[in-house]
Amino acid sequence: MTASTATPARGSTAKLAMTSAVAAGVEWYDFFVYGTAAALVFPHIFFSPDLSPLVAQLAAFSTFAVGFIARPLGGVVFGHFGDLHGRKATLVAALMIMGVSTLLVGLLPTYASVGMWAPLMLIVLRFAQGFAVGGQWGAAALIAIENAPEGKRGLFGSFVQIGVPAGVILANIAFILSDGLMDRAAFEAWGWRIPFLLSVVVVGLALFVHTRIQESREFVAAAAKRAEAAPSQAPRRSPILQVIATSWRRILLAGGAFIASNACFYVIITWVISYGTTELRLSRELMLGGVMFGSLCMIPALILVAAASDRFGRYGLFRLGCLTTGLWAFAFFPLLETGSPAGVGAAIAVALCCVAMMYGPQAALFAELFSTEVRYSGASLGYQVGVLLGGGFAPMIATALFAASKNSTTVAGYMAATCLISIVCVSWLHAHRKAGELSPAAP
């Protein structure tokens, strides 16, 4: 066994997994801090005061959606280079782009200062955020999964998945502290900028990853194998073109499987903040605190479900998550509408734990759909297709549905419909796997 293919020591493997978790957490912090700001302050400071509150909120959420539109492009570009040159370099690039673009959001002039240039610059920077996070997930997930001990891909993949609720918690803490340490006028004048300026930490993390973290051992082994066979092989085809040509159905099914967890998640953590504060007249602190509590509960749920998927299989747990999330949607809003801290906390916590049953095993499930040579491209494309169809427009759809019906049941029905779509897609993937069309390594 050569040095390049030897299994890393336990400490080295744990370090890689934890670094992937931290990288995902701080990058998602940058991405989510925008969503919180879009729900709370952007309608007032980046858009014309002549707009009605509903139109301003929809406009703010539309800039939020721009990040999701950019994510598939990030998945394509970073996936291509990650499959050709390695996961580590693309993770460093994604972190740098995210850190700089989020920092610049915190320095933007407002509508009162520059008029229409304010939302235009906001859209450009949001696009850059989406482009970066579109590449980040694949790199961080594969560094963890491709260095995982035998039979623990689900568990190690969950370290990247917990970056999502960790990012939500960090973003909400930043806003609660900023909002709590000053009056509302000061917060809307300059306090909202503080959470964005804190993203300078992401740039430092990128430098740490660049200097301290090893490449994925499965990628190194595959590259060595290609190098040995190079004299008898033609130049390597573009990984992104190769995976689209050979596995486009699998990519679309993976995207469909991800629609539910993504759409429901963004309704729960983004639209609900706006709904709670504007329609239910609940305090910002209560809504942000409820999201933070739910996200804290989601972290151990992600780890437990992902570890269970290594033993019992990923597809059954994923389907169970779709079913429970769709059913809970109809209990979610009545609990939320009680307005009590216990009701709000329970509604959000149970909802996010149901979503965790899908999101926990997802990283390993997606990675096992594709071979090492095209895994970054294939898994990233599937993930980002689901993001575009599911999460990107979820807050806008929820806002429009509620505005039309004045009834939260329509939003619950939307959440349940996305769960039905994902059950069908993941069941189809499972059927292909049982027919021997997917990797035999996939549980």
Side-chain angles (χ1 to χ4, degrees):
M1 183 179 292
T2 66
S4 64
T5 61
T7 301
R10 182 176 180 180
S12 174
T13 302
K15 178 182 176 183
L16 285 165
M18 292 309 299
T19 301
S20 293
V22 172
V26 297
E27 183 133 350
W28 284 116
Y29 162 83
D30 279 8
F31 199 71
F32 291 140
V33 80
Y34 189 103
T36 305
L40 295 178
V41 296
F42 282 1
H44 317 304
I45 62 176
F46 280 109
F47 299 93
S48 170
D50 297 331
L51 298 177
S52 70
L54 174 61
V55 173
Q57 187 65 74
L58 283 170
F61 280 148
S62 70
T63 67
F64 180 71
V66 166
F68 292 84
I69 295 171
R71 284 173 64 170
L73 178 61
V76 168
V77 173
F78 283 96
H80 172 82
F81 288 103
D83 280 329
L84 286 177
H85 304 296
R87 294 38 168 138
K88 174 182 165 180
T90 51
L91 179 58
V92 171
L95 288 169
M96 289 293 292
I97 293 171
M98 177 62 88
V100 172
S101 59
T102 307
L103 184 67
L104 290 176
V105 171
L107 298 173
L108 280 181
T110 64
Y111 188 93
S113 300
V114 296
M116 284 302 298
W117 284 106
L120 289 175
M121 289 187 285
L122 187 65
I123 288 169
V124 170
L125 293 175
R126 181 59 177 172
F127 189 92
Q129 280 190 321
F131 181 79
V133 85
Q136 171 271 334
W137 179 82
L142 295 185
I143 284 175
I145 291 168
E146 293 181 346
N147 283 292
E150 186 69 26
K152 293 189 177 180
R153 279 181 164 182
L155 174 61
F156 274 68
S158 73
F159 292 133
V160 176
Q161 307 300 74
I162 65 175
V164 169
V168 173
I169 293 167
L170 291 172
N172 285 333
I173 286 175
F175 268 99
I176 287 173
L177 291 177
S178 299
D179 194 15
L181 295 176
M182 61 192 73
D183 60 34
R184 181 160 189 156
F187 177 74
E188 293 196 358
W190 59 271
W192 66 269
R193 298 180 184 275
I194 296 172
F196 290 91
L197 298 178
L198 290 175
S199 68
V200 69
V201 174
V202 181
V203 177
L205 180 63
L207 296 175
F208 174 83
V209 172
H210 177 67
T211 57
R212 299 293 183 89
I213 298 304
Q214 302 169 11
E215 182 57 82
S216 147
R217 76 169 185 270
E218 287 188 25
F219 175 82
V220 170
K225 186 176 180 180
R226 285 197 305 271
E228 291 176 4
S232 60
Q233 289 186 347
R236 191 179 175 198
R237 185 181 178 186
S238 166
I240 193 70
L241 295 179
Q242 182 181 346
V243 77
I244 290 174
T246 61
S247 306
W248 62 269
R249 290 183 184 86
R250 198 175 303 173
I251 291 169
L252 292 178
L253 287 174
F258 189 38
I259 285 176
S261 61
N262 208 241
C264 294
F265 181 77
Y266 283 104
V267 169
I268 295 163
I269 70 151
T270 299
W271 181 75
V272 157
I273 294 176
S274 174
Y275 174 65
T277 55
T278 59
E279 299 294 335
L280 303 181
R281 304 297 179 185
L282 303 177
S283 69
R284 290 182 181 183
E285 291 76 16
L286 175 58
M287 294 310 301
L288 293 176
V291 170
M292 285 176 58
F293 173 71
S295 299
L296 279 170
C297 294
M298 189 182 187
I299 290 174
L302 282 168
I303 295 171
L304 290 172
V305 173
S309 77
D310 286 325
R311 182 173 181 183
F312 302 110
R314 320 213 193 277
Y315 294 92
L317 287 170
F318 201 109
R319 281 193 291 261
L320 183 60
C322 293
L323 180 63
T324 56
T325 303
L327 293 175
W328 183 254
F330 294 97
F332 173 71
F333 288 103
L335 262 178
L336 193 72
E337 288 157 4
T338 65
S340 69
V344 171
I348 296 174
V350 175
L352 289 179
C353 287
C354 291
V355 170
M357 297 180 70
M358 295 179 276
Y359 198 59
Q362 182 211 345
L365 191 155
F366 277 25
E368 290 165 343
L369 294 176
F370 306 97
S371 65
T372 304
E373 288 77 7
V374 297
R375 182 173 290 151
Y376 196 155
S377 298
S380 290
L381 268 181
Y383 187 99
Q384 303 308 337
V385 166
V387 162
L388 180 60
L389 298 177
F393 300 99
M396 293 177 62
I397 291 171
T399 300
L401 286 172
F402 184 80
S405 67
K406 300 300 181 184
N407 192 325
S408 60
T409 303
T410 57
V411 182
Y414 163 63
M415 294 168 69
T418 65
C419 291
L420 179 61
I421 292 170
S422 289
I423 285 178
V424 171
C425 290
V426 79
S427 296
W428 204 341
L429 278 173
H430 195 199
H432 282 305
R433 180 223 161 210
K434 291 204 286 189
E437 296 176 27
L438 301 185
S439 168

